[in-house]
Amino acid sequence: MAAVALTTTLFTPLAQAAAPKAMKTAASAAVDAQTKQIQVMVDQVFSYAEPGFQEVRTSEYLTKILEENGFTVTRGVAGIPTAFTATWGSGGPLIALGSDIDDVLGVSQIPGIPNIKPLVEGAPGHGEGHNAGMPLVIAAAIAVKKVMEKNKISGRLMLWPGVAEELLATKAYYVRDGLFKDVDACIFTHVSSEFGTGYGEMGMNGMVSVEYTFHGKTAHSAGMPWEGRSALDGVELMDVAWNFRREHLPLTQRSHYVITNGGGQPNVVPDKASVWYYFRDRTFKSIRDLYNTGNEIAEAAAKASGTTVTRQTLGYAAPNFGNKPLAEAAQANIQAVGMPKWTADDQAFTKAVQETNKRKVEPLHDKVSDLSTPENRKPSMGGGSDDVGDITWTVPTITIRFPSNIPNMIGHNVTAAIAMATPIAHKGAVAGAKALAMTVLDLMTTPKLVADAKTYFRDVQLKTDSYDPVLTPEDKPAIWLNEKTMRLLRPEMEKYYYDPSKYSSYLEQLGVKYPTLTPQ
């Protein structure tokens, strides 16, 4: 695997303060020394393919590595069995580092082949590339720890995983339970085909996830239907009413639903039925307004159908906001590291995947992205969400996007899983780990950067809005979600778990030759 080289731009930082050159060089070398371990971690987590709240093997695996490297692990934080914190250090600033670990239902995929082909039919898979993020964070933290120990630098690290991010279901609970109470700054990472970061209001929607359950009365659907009150009627009336209401909602909103329980059999009037909604918009107020509108429509549907309705909040995500001083520091380090050195095989595989799946053909990028700012971003009309937003409104935070996937794949889709256990994913994680490690060293060695980040958070960000989650003290993490799915599918999936003691890579274990350029 080609190493990611430092360029001559290493010490032309955009930020006002930076760690010494020798320390950054040492951190980069410490990441390079973990190149093989990064590949193993990325492949191992890919093979576990665990959806939200069921990341049992993934969490056990990652925490074991952290403990072996001197971190103190606390499991089950915020009442979530697969969540944890891993801490190290003393004195100085406390810097939190995180990335997501869950995957997407129904997108199982054999990696390293250009066509869609599930490893296990109907099983979950890493169709958002979350298998690369925590391996990157762990490698960066180990490198930083080594440099700090050698140079006797005071400071503390706290690593945390994004559990059930695809359900947008945990980070608000982390915040509510005080996990970030003493944190000075946080850096989050997320997979991409690009390498960059940004600051300001990031143009993403916040969101509330809520399930409505209607309660009626059973009866024989043919013999005595007048004795029944159909809970499914309540669900369908709510859905029809919401779809009519869409015409009169802000253009920035996104809302979508699935019926999670439609009853038992047609000849029994359903006495219980449920529908699960995501309500998304750009501001705290507009999210709350959508949520209240949904509640009103649910109550109206219950009255119209002669049923009653209850609701349960399953998740929440605040709008995202990036910290300018942190983003400028990270961008300087991203520019210093540069894009991975892609090979002809990497580019050929990329083209084969794009052509096979009828996606726009575009090579792997050879330049890092510009710093994303409110001035150079296009106006946002709303879209996706990430519950790291709750953390961005709690402590100064940025997201580093690292280049471990192929351009123009579809998010939350099987195409986004194809490259995530190939050299493309491995090299991107190495590059991201270097930039992350260097930025953490900036924070550990330059108090002014920490102070500037806090000043921007207080005097700029909090003047535009303030954290206002929909969660109530009674709401609990929905840790039961996906449990039944994994209970049914895990026995078959276990047959395909990666065994690094026998195989140098997951592709080798699966008998996939890289690059495979034709459908298999």
Side-chain angles (χ1 to χ4, degrees):
M1 184 182 300
V4 182
L6 294 177
T7 73
T8 56
T9 63
L10 179 55
F11 299 104
T12 310
L14 296 174
Q16 297 178 5
K21 177 179 179 180
M23 290 185 188
K24 291 191 175 184
T25 301
S28 177
V31 170
D32 277 333
Q34 298 176 77
T35 296
K36 175 61 180 176
Q37 178 63 12
I38 291 171
Q39 172 257 306
V40 170
M41 289 191 289
V42 169
D43 287 3
Q44 189 74 71
V45 177
F46 183 96
S47 75
Y48 288 149
E50 294 173 307
F53 292 116
Q54 306 306 317
E55 310 97 335
V56 178
R57 297 292 182 90
T58 301
S59 184
E60 289 175 349
Y61 172 70
L62 297 175
T63 53
K64 182 180 179 182
I65 292 171
L66 286 161
E67 286 179 325
E68 289 172 348
N69 283 276
F71 287 79
T72 300
V73 173
T74 302
R75 295 175 173 83
V77 298
I80 302 163
T82 54
F84 61 85
T85 59
T87 57
W88 173 86
S90 62
L94 174 59
I95 309 303
L97 309 175
S99 198
D100 300 319
I101 60 173
D102 62 323
D103 69 1
V104 184
L105 293 176
V107 297
S108 175
Q109 171 64 24
I110 298 173
I113 63 173
N115 54 300
I116 295 173
K117 188 174 183 179
L119 195 61
V120 175
E121 189 70 41
H126 276 288
E128 184 69 6
H130 285 173
N131 60 300
M134 279 306 291
L136 179 164
V137 168
I138 290 171
I142 291 171
V144 168
K145 177 175 176 285
K146 182 175 181 180
V147 173
M148 290 177 67
E149 288 174 331
K150 180 179 179 181
N151 293 277
K152 296 181 173 56
I153 299 170
S154 296
R156 294 160 291 154
L157 298 173
M158 183 184 82
L159 279 63
W160 55 274
V163 168
E165 188 277 335
E166 303 299 356
L167 302 171
L168 298 155
T170 59
K171 296 186 185 80
Y173 290 104
Y174 290 176
V175 170
R176 193 181 71 178
D177 280 30
L179 261 66
F180 295 87
K181 180 181 177 182
D182 299 318
V183 169
D184 292 290
C186 177
I187 305 176
F188 184 68
T189 69
H190 197 281
V191 66
S192 178
S193 60
E194 300 180 343
F195 198 9
T197 189
Y199 68 85
E201 198 279 311
M202 298 301 293
M204 300 173 69
N205 280 345
M207 185 219 68
V208 58
S209 163
V210 57
E211 186 175 44
Y212 297 92
T213 299
F214 289 79
H215 307 271
K217 185 173 71 169
T218 62
H220 193 299
S221 297
M224 302 177 70
W226 51 84
E227 291 293 339
R229 295 293 181 268
S230 173
L232 182 58
D233 286 353
V235 164
E236 292 184 299
L237 284 168
M238 178 180 180
D239 294 344
V240 169
W242 184 264
N243 286 326
F244 273 106
R245 189 63 171 267
R246 286 180 195 271
E247 180 184 356
H248 311 288
L249 295 173
L251 295 178
T252 51
Q253 74 86 27
R254 300 288 189 275
S255 52
H256 18 267
Y257 58 85
V258 293
I259 296 174
T260 52
N261 176 14
Q265 59 191 63
N267 64 338
V268 178
V269 175
D271 66 337
K272 187 176 181 180
S274 301
V275 60
W276 182 8
Y277 271 80
Y278 279 10
F279 301 119
R280 308 184 197 239
D281 212 328
R282 293 286 307 282
T283 68
F284 289 105
K285 181 182 183 302
S286 58
I287 296 163
R288 187 175 288 277
D289 288 345
L290 280 180
Y291 174 60
N292 289 336
T293 300
N295 294 342
E296 291 170 358
I297 288 176
E299 293 290 345
K303 289 181 180 180
S305 58
T307 62
T308 60
V309 65
T310 58
R311 63 180 183 266
Q312 182 170 20
T313 302
L314 300 180
Y316 181 81
N320 282 216
F321 202 105
N323 185 273
K324 182 178 181 181
L326 293 183
E328 290 179 338
Q331 184 70 22
N333 292 316
I334 289 167
Q335 291 172 343
V337 173
M339 292 296 288
K341 306 304 178 186
W342 308 120
T343 65
D345 285 346
D346 298 330
Q347 296 288 10
F349 180 67
T350 294
K351 184 178 181 182
V353 171
Q354 293 165 341
E355 290 181 339
T356 301
N357 294 283
K358 296 179 170 57
R359 306 303 298 162
K360 178 183 176 182
V361 175
E362 180 182 3
L364 294 165
H365 302 309
D366 59 2
K367 294 181 180 179
V368 303
S369 302
D370 292 335
L371 179 66
S372 178
T373 74
E375 292 74 29
N376 65 20
R377 278 195 294 274
K378 295 179 181 179
S380 173
M381 292 305 295
S385 310
D386 193 316
D387 56 356
V388 74
D390 294 80
I391 300 169
T392 70
W393 287 94
T394 306
V395 296
T397 304
I398 57 166
T399 296
I400 293 176
R401 306 181 307 276
F402 62 94
S404 278
N405 214 331
I406 290 172
N408 305 319
M409 296 299 99
I410 305 171
H412 293 186
N413 182 270
V414 65
T415 58
I418 288 173
M420 286 310 303
T422 71
I424 294 169
H426 307 148
K427 293 173 185 177
V430 170
K434 290 183 177 183
L436 177 58
M438 293 176 185
T439 307
V440 174
L441 287 174
D442 287 341
L443 288 162
M444 292 297 187
T445 60
T446 52
K448 183 176 181 355
L449 178 56
V450 176
D452 287 349
K454 290 182 177 181
T455 297
Y456 180 87
F457 177 74
R458 181 186 66 244
D459 295 347
V460 178
Q461 180 177 345
L462 295 184
K463 283 192 174 182
T464 67
D465 213 336
S466 60
Y467 188 48
D468 180 30
V470 169
L471 291 185
T472 69
E474 290 73 35
D475 291 322
K476 304 294 182 185
I479 60 176
W480 63 88
L481 292 175
N482 296 324
E483 189 277 331
K484 181 179 180 181
T485 297
M486 287 304 288
R487 187 171 68 248
L488 294 173
L489 291 171
R490 194 183 291 276
E492 184 65 20
M493 295 170 64
E494 286 176 337
K495 300 175 184 178
Y496 298 97
Y497 287 171
Y498 177 39
D499 185 353
S501 69
K502 294 182 180 179
Y503 302 96
S504 63
S505 71
Y506 195 40
L507 295 185
E508 180 185 339
Q509 178 171 324
L510 297 175
V512 175
K513 179 178 173 56
Y514 184 80
T516 296
L517 304 180
T518 57
Q520 302 299 298

